[in-house]
Amino acid sequence: MKRLVANIWQFYLDGFRSMTLGRTLWLIIAIKLFIIFFILRIFFFPNYLNEAAGDDKDDYVSRELINRSAGD
């Protein structure tokens, strides 16, 4: 089993070493993921749970779930 995992790891490692265009594409993918998960999150997805203080967080979540399921 260890030999199989080592062979698979070596296969992918050799494949990534020999890539030319692939490295550029992986860099573009990494930059896009960074923009999606870090930059856009800061500006477009505020953390509403920080507005509720202490023990009120569970009440806030339950209230929002009930309100959204009721169609309000």
Side-chain angles (χ1 to χ4, degrees):
M1 182 65 180
K2 287 184 180 182
R3 182 76 178 149
L4 177 66
V5 173
N7 285 340
I8 293 172
W9 176 257
Q10 192 65 35
F11 174 76
Y12 280 105
L13 188 62
D14 290 339
F16 281 117
R17 279 187 191 150
S18 64
M19 283 195 301
T20 55
L21 179 63
R23 289 182 188 208
T24 307
L25 294 176
W26 278 109
L27 180 64
I28 291 171
I29 290 169
I31 291 170
K32 288 171 81 173
L33 287 174
F34 176 77
I35 290 171
I36 289 170
F37 288 111
F38 294 103
I39 305 299
L40 291 179
R41 184 171 183 242
I42 292 171
F43 295 111
F44 295 109
F45 303 111
N47 191 353
Y48 292 110
L49 285 180
N50 283 341
E51 295 172 4
D55 295 334
D56 294 336
K57 289 183 181 182
D58 55 350
D59 292 332
Y60 176 78
V61 171
S62 64
R63 224 179 16 254
E64 285 296 314
L65 286 172
I66 291 169
N67 288 341
R68 290 181 187 199
S69 68
D72 292 341

